[in-house]
Amino acid sequence: MKTVKDTLKNTFGWIGFNIKPILLFSIFYFIIMFYIPILLDKLMLLFFKLIHGGIYMGNGNAIDILKMPAMWPGLIFSLIVTAGILMFQVGAVAYAINESKKKNKVKFSQMAVAGVKVFGKIFKPRNWLILLYAVVILPLTGAIKIGCATTKICVPEFVEDFAYANGTLKYLYPLALLLLFLLAVRWIFSIVAFSLEDKTFRQSCKESIALNKKRIFKTMGMIILGGIIFIALDVVVSALFALIVTLISLLMDGNGFAAFGIRYLNSYKNMMSLVYSIFVPILNIGLITAMFFKWRQKNNVEDPIPEREIKPFKVRGKVVFVACFLAGVVLSTFVAKDYITCYMKESKRPVVCAHRGESYSVPENTMLAFKTAVKKKADWVEMDVHKTLDGKIIVSHDDYIERVSGKEIYVHESKYDYLRKLDVGSWFDKKYSYVRFSNLDEALKYLKKEGKTVQIETKPVDGNYPDGTPINKDFEKKVIKIIKDNHMEKRVVIISQNEDSLKRVKKVDPKINTANCMVVAWGDIGDIDWVDYCSIEEENVTPAIIYNMNKAKKKCFSWTVNRADKIQNLVDCGIDGIVTDNVVMVRKQLDAIDYTPGIDKFIRMVAQ
């Protein structure tokens, strides 16, 4: 208990001793971190166009592009810069805390120089192991937040959903995350050692392992305790704001002052989120540094931290620095004007598309799922289709249907009449044992009657039958014929992750709307001439992509969004539609979020 008390006391005491330069540096870092990802994205896209000659990277070309030797220097440079700007903050704050420990006051300029020195160490090949740790392991495990450079790096939601829904993966996936988390904790002091000592990152990892020997669970406990403190603070502040807003709404309903009060409180909450996002990395770096020194003391480590004499800027240096900073901000603002303009526009309410029907509460891709989606007021309905052995179009997500039927069979090897007899509801819940596969024709007839717009995802299977006939033969033609037979051409969008399938659709009928369903989405995707929409995995959605789509007068959907905390950011980006398993949750969230433009939206998006 004494160790915990001393560590927390040192964390807040050492940060407080040099709080002014630490805060000034963190605000400066936050400003440049707004611009650097945008500039890096623009630079990488320019490099991509010069090397590859293409306009975008998506499902169909991602692997081929990554295989190109000429692309690797740009990718490695991008990773180095990402790790470098993360360690820039760690190095600067760790330096300030180390000086606080020695009762030395520091200047902002000294912190900046210390951060630059650590940034420069990243470019040495012998330190490139830090790319794996800082850019992959820490963000994916969420072990501790030490900067905003990697906040968008995470496991996509659809990957997590797939893992937890499939056999042994639901046990292996959390086990893998746990092992990565333990590795993250085992190496956690490496970032401090790397920042303060004359060591390579590999040597820093060895020191971290030595410090954690026989006390890794103490380190983990301290990290978790720090996380609990920060979460508790956020929960209390959020709950307080929610209570005040509720009271104002109840007491002054319909009053103009009430609307003003609520708007003011929302603005204040957004500002608090911004301040919180600035403070958390500082406190976390402070906590790790305090533990680093505490564990060194307990291990009787005799190697002293090298003395670094970093002189503060003189007047001339300050003038040059401020001039360069302001010039950089002006130039970056000009380059990023499209992004900033996006932040200042009023957000629209996106349509809600039921993924595989209402698949949250009933078996997916069935007439019951489509009827439930209508009942729960979905604006659009999405479904997946396959072609059976006898050429019928059946609604199913998978070709291999063991997951939903318990039968180890393939749709493309089975006849329609046999498939229609299978129980595809019991896997979800025994009470749905009566549920059977639906076909595209009956699904469209029902949804047309209910006035819904439909996304039909084609899932072509590559290869040939034993007689040499392509499995995909006339697949898209049959889908389009059913659409036209139901006079649904204007209310259907054919989507696919298979780009060749979409090109075949346009070849059959150029007027049919198509959407590229993208797991990977980067570049000028609005310029793809054989699609009218894009449906993008939600982690890839950015204001830049939406701007690019809007410029091309095309719409953009996001899939599969099942978490309430993702929706505000998607709306702020300007998304046109949200594809979800849980229609009711998304509709409720859309009723509650803020659509107003201006500084509130800008602050909220930067705080993300």
Side-chain angles (χ1 to χ4, degrees), residues 375-388:
K375 183 179 179 181
K376 294 187 176 181
K377 299 181 180 180
D379 303 301
W380 289 39
V381 173
E382 187 265 355
M383 64 182 70
D384 309 276
V385 294
H386 283 273
K387 183 165 70 75
T388 66

Side-chain angles (χ1 to χ4, degrees), residues 20-72:
K20 288 183 179 178
I22 289 175
L23 274 181
L24 182 61
F25 174 83
S26 297
I27 292 170
F28 160 77
Y29 178 78
F30 204 79
I31 292 171
I32 65 172
M33 273 311 304
F34 170 74
Y35 288 107
I36 285 178
I38 297 172
L39 298 176
L40 190 60
D41 181 72
K42 293 268 190 182
L43 182 63
M44 282 300 297
L45 185 58
L46 177 62
F47 178 76
F48 170 68
K49 288 179 178 179
L50 289 174
I51 297 298
H52 182 260
I55 57 172
Y56 77 102
M57 183 164 69
N59 304 344
N61 61 4
I63 294 176
D64 291 336
I65 289 171
L66 293 176
K67 286 181 179 179
M68 293 177 61
M71 286 297 298
W72 281 96

Side-chain angles (χ1 to χ4, degrees), residues 318-601:
K318 291 179 180 178
V319 171
V320 172
F321 175 81
V322 171
C324 291
F325 175 69
L326 292 176
V329 168
V330 171
L331 178 62
S332 300
T333 301
F334 176 77
V335 173
K337 63 182 184 301
D338 297 340
Y339 302 73
I340 297 172
T341 301
C342 172
Y343 294 151
M344 307 308 287
K345 290 180 180 178
E346 183 174 4
S347 299
K348 57 182 177 290
R349 184 184 176 109
V351 298
V352 180
C353 181
H355 182 236
R356 308 181 196 176
E358 168 54 38
S359 53
Y360 178 77
S361 56
V362 298
E364 66 184 49
N365 272 323
T366 62
M367 289 305 299
L368 179 61
F370 304 145
K371 290 176 181 179
T372 305
V374 171
K375 183 179 179 181
K376 294 187 176 181
K377 299 181 180 180
D379 303 301
W380 289 39
V381 173
E382 187 265 355
M383 64 182 70
D384 309 276
V385 294
H386 283 273
K387 183 165 70 75
T388 66
L389 180 61
D390 50 349
K392 306 293 184 183
I393 304 300
I394 198 168
V395 181
S396 173
H397 180 270
D398 307 323
D399 181 46
Y400 182 65
I401 58 173
E402 182 186 14
R403 178 176 64 90
V404 296
S405 71
K407 305 289 186 181
E408 297 180 359
I409 58 176
Y410 292 88
V411 169
H412 77 271
E413 293 178 349
S414 307
K415 291 189 176 182
Y416 174 75
D417 288 341
Y418 171 71
L419 293 171
R420 284 283 279 187
K421 296 174 183 177
L422 298 177
D423 169 6
V424 292
S426 292
W427 71 274
F428 190 91
D429 193 302
K430 293 294 184 185
K431 67 181 180 181
Y432 297 120
S433 61
Y434 65 91
V435 174
R436 300 293 183 264
F437 278 119
S438 61
N439 62 54
L440 179 59
D441 183 64
E442 65 181 327
L444 288 185
K445 279 181 167 57
Y446 170 74
L447 293 170
K448 178 186 178 183
K449 183 182 70 173
E450 297 296 334
K452 299 300 177 184
T453 304
V454 184
Q455 287 188 2
I456 301 173
E457 181 168 356
T458 55
K459 314 278 279 192
V461 178
D462 293 330
N464 299 319
Y465 287 113
D467 64 359
T469 304
I471 298 172
N472 288 330
K473 185 179 180 182
D474 295 331
F475 178 32
E476 289 79 16
K477 285 183 180 180
K478 290 178 180 293
V479 171
I480 292 171
K481 183 179 186 305
I482 295 170
I483 293 170
K484 290 185 173 182
D485 287 347
N486 285 280
H487 305 290
M488 286 283 283
E489 299 96 318
K490 302 295 184 182
R491 283 166 37 197
V492 162
V493 177
I494 297 180
I495 72 173
S496 186
Q497 293 186 23
N498 187 308
E499 296 184 351
D500 290 334
S501 179
L502 296 176
K503 291 173 183 177
R504 288 193 293 268
V505 168
K506 283 297 188 183
K507 189 174 181 179
V508 174
D509 187 345
K511 294 182 180 179
I512 293 285
N513 284 325
T514 55
N516 198 357
C517 186
M518 307 181 77
V519 178
V520 178
W522 179 69
D524 297 332
I525 62 175
D527 294 341
I528 305 174
D529 57 11
W530 38 268
V531 296
D532 308 288
Y533 292 69
C534 275
S535 188
I536 301 173
E537 196 281 319
E538 58 98 5
E539 294 295 344
N540 288 298
V541 174
T542 65
I545 282 179
I546 302 298
Y547 172 82
N548 184 264
M549 293 296 293
N550 290 341
K551 187 171 67 173
K553 297 182 179 180
K554 297 178 180 180
K555 293 185 178 181
C556 186
F557 280 57
S558 176
W559 59 274
T560 304
V561 185
N562 293 327
R563 296 174 188 168
D565 60 345
K566 304 283 188 180
I567 295 173
Q568 178 73 68
N569 185 56
L570 289 171
V571 171
D572 285 338
C573 286
I575 203 74
D576 294 289
I578 292 176
V579 183
T580 179
D581 296 327
N582 192 341
V583 172
V584 173
M585 179 276 292
V586 173
R587 285 182 60 84
K588 286 183 178 179
Q589 195 66 19
L590 290 175
D591 289 339
I593 63 175
D594 189 357
Y595 294 87
T596 54
I599 192 65
D600 287 345
K601 180 178 178 181

